[in-house]
């Protein structure tokens, strides 16, 4: 495993204001998958994780656009890809969404973040058109998926109790500051209610409102339920894979990368110093996109025997 230090220029990719082209494809079940496109060169598709849309990948896309044609789809259920959640949803539908964009674009390179990394790995196993894929901290719960908490989250969303649902998300993903673990749940819910009211009044600028993104997390948690305990099937992946993660990320995400490193036949791994799970996002969302872009450029450009 390689460890890379953070660049002093993280979060400050190209200042180019090149506009995005916007397009859409239709997935096998009729879902419209909207996407943005920027740059020139070999095609790379960026697959978003939870609580984000194409806007969250803007700086990463612009950094990669110096040498690649970058495609940024909104995953189903958010942004330009509206789709009501269905309890029968499966990871296969998400793979089909990616497949139709790969077919349209001719791209052979894919990057996935978090739940998008699970989709990327599954797609790489199923689709021979993917030549290389990089994944950032897929949330495999190798010691057991927290099914009770996911069921609670789904029920809270069904009841429209978004404040409680957001608190439950933190119990599942363990990405909030550690000191919050000592705060009683009623106080956390009260503070979260205030945050949601503020977000609703002033908006999120270029970003999708939390009230829109939170219900879409049912799609993400379904990825975890479908594939979150086992990685054995990825032994069949023939493409080259780059595993990426940050030194500040939770232990269970590092454990998942450790296990994948022993399973995948053609694998490289890079640990990024001083960053966490949000590293691929824009700098104003806590990310270090230029650092991630550096690793992706090097990996995607490599010609390995």
């Amino acid at each position: 495993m390689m460890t890379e230090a953070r660049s002093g220029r993280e979060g400050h990719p190209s200042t180019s204001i090149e506009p995005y082209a916007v397009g859409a494809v239709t997935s096998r079940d009729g879902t419209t998958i909207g996407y943005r496109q920027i740059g020139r060169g070999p095609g790379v598709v960026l697959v978003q994780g939870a609580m984000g849309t194409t806007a969250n990948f803007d700086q990463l896309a612009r950094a990669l656009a110096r040498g690649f044609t970058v495609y940024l789809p909104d995953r189903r259920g958010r942004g330009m890809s509206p789709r009501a959640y269905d309890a029968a949803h499966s990871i296969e539908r998400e793979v089909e969404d990616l497949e139709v964009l790969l077919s349209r674009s001719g791209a052979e390179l894919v990057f996935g973040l978090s739940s998008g990394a699970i989709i990327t790995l599954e797609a790489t196993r199923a689709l021979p058109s993917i030549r290389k894929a990089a994944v950032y901290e897929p949330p495999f719960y190798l010691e057991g998926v927290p099914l009770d908490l996911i069921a609670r989250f789904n029920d809270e969303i069904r009841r429209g109790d978004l404040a409680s649902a957001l608190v439950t998300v933190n119990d599942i993903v363990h990405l909030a500051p550690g000191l919050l673990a000592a705060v009683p749940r009623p106080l956390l819910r009260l503070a979260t209610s205030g945050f949601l009211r503020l977000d609703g009044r002033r908006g999120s600028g270029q970003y999708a409102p939390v009230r829109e993104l939170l219900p879409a997390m049912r799609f993400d948690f379904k990825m975890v339920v479908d594939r979150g305990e086992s990685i054995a099937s990825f032994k069949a992946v023939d493409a080259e894979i780059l595993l990426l993660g940050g030194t500040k990320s939770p232990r269970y995400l590092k454990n998942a990368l450790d296990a994948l490193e022993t399973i995948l036949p053609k694998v490289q791994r890079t640990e990024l110093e001083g960053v966490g799970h949000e590293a691929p996002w824009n700098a104003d969302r806590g990310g270090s996109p230029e650092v991630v872009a550096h690793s992706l450029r090097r990996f995607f450009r490599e010609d390995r025997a």
Side-chain angles (χ1 to χ4, degrees):
M1 179 178 68
M2 180 184 298
T3 299
E4 291 192 352
R6 294 177 67 176
S7 162
R9 300 172 56 240
E10 71 268 21
H12 299 285
S14 172
T15 57
S16 167
I17 56 172
E18 178 184 351
Y20 286 96
V22 178
V25 291
T26 303
S27 195
R28 192 174 302 178
D29 68 353
T31 302
T32 295
I33 303 298
Y35 66 90
R36 297 198 287 174
Q37 175 184 337
I38 192 171
R40 293 175 181 81
V44 179
V45 178
L46 307 184
V47 185
Q48 184 60 260
M51 295 299 287
T53 64
T54 60
N56 297 70
F57 272 163
D58 175 66
Q59 293 175 2
L60 178 62
R62 290 184 181 279
L64 292 173
R66 303 166 193 172
F68 299 90
T69 302
V70 186
Y71 298 88
L72 299 89
D74 271 332
R75 282 184 41 219
R76 59 172 57 204
R78 63 211 86 189
M80 296 180 288
S81 306
R83 178 78 183 193
Y85 181 74
D86 181 343
H89 178 70
S90 70
I91 193 170
E92 285 75 19
R93 302 293 81 75
E94 305 265 2
V95 171
E96 289 168 2
D97 296 348
L98 177 56
E99 181 181 20
V100 71
L101 181 54
L102 292 172
S103 178
R104 165 72 66 85
S105 66
E108 300 177 319
L109 310 171
V110 182
F111 168 74
L113 165 65
S114 196
S115 54
I118 294 180
I119 296 165
T120 297
L121 283 171
E122 181 67 13
T124 304
R125 185 186 67 80
L127 305 177
S129 60
I130 299 176
R131 182 168 59 87
K132 287 186 174 185
V135 294
Y136 196 99
E137 296 182 344
F140 293 109
Y141 291 77
L142 300 181
E143 296 181 358
V145 173
L147 295 174
D148 55 337
L149 291 175
I150 292 174
R152 175 200 280 179
F153 170 83
N154 289 337
D155 182 62
E156 289 163 344
I157 291 294
R158 181 185 59 79
R159 293 188 282 107
D161 187 356
L162 298 187
S164 293
L166 191 51
V167 173
T168 300
V169 166
N170 289 330
D171 292 337
I172 297 171
V173 302
H174 305 295
L175 294 175
L179 59 87
L180 291 182
V183 179
R185 183 178 174 89
L187 290 180
L188 283 177
R189 187 190 179 284
L190 184 63
T192 301
S193 295
F195 162 75
L196 290 172
R197 284 194 299 271
L198 184 62
D199 184 67
R201 284 200 303 268
R202 72 183 182 189
S204 302
Q206 65 174 316
Y207 302 106
V210 174
R211 288 183 176 274
E212 291 183 14
L213 291 174
L214 198 55
M217 284 196 75
R218 289 174 292 182
F219 290 99
D220 300 279
F221 286 141
K222 191 60 164 61
M223 302 304 97
V224 172
V225 170
D226 281 358
R227 295 291 187 273
E229 274 186 314
S230 174
I231 62 171
S233 65
F234 298 125
K235 289 181 179 179
V237 170
D238 188 54
E240 295 178 48
I241 303 293
L242 172 65
L243 302 176
L244 289 171
T247 58
K248 290 187 174 181
S249 295
R251 183 70 253 173
Y252 78 96
L253 294 174
K254 296 178 182 180
N255 289 344
L257 293 174
D258 289 344
L260 285 167
E261 194 172 11
T262 68
I263 288 287
L264 292 163
K266 301 175 183 177
V267 64
Q268 301 179 46
R269 183 172 175 187
T270 298
E271 187 171 62
L272 303 177
E273 186 68 35
V275 304
H277 192 60
E278 68 286 349
W281 275 6
N282 297 340
D284 63 323
R285 282 313 206 223
S288 296
E290 189 64 62
V291 173
V292 177
H294 175 75
S295 291
L296 294 181
R297 284 192 295 263
R298 184 174 59 192
F299 173 66
F300 287 144
R301 287 172 177 166
E302 281 180 348
D303 289 320
R304 301 177 67 199

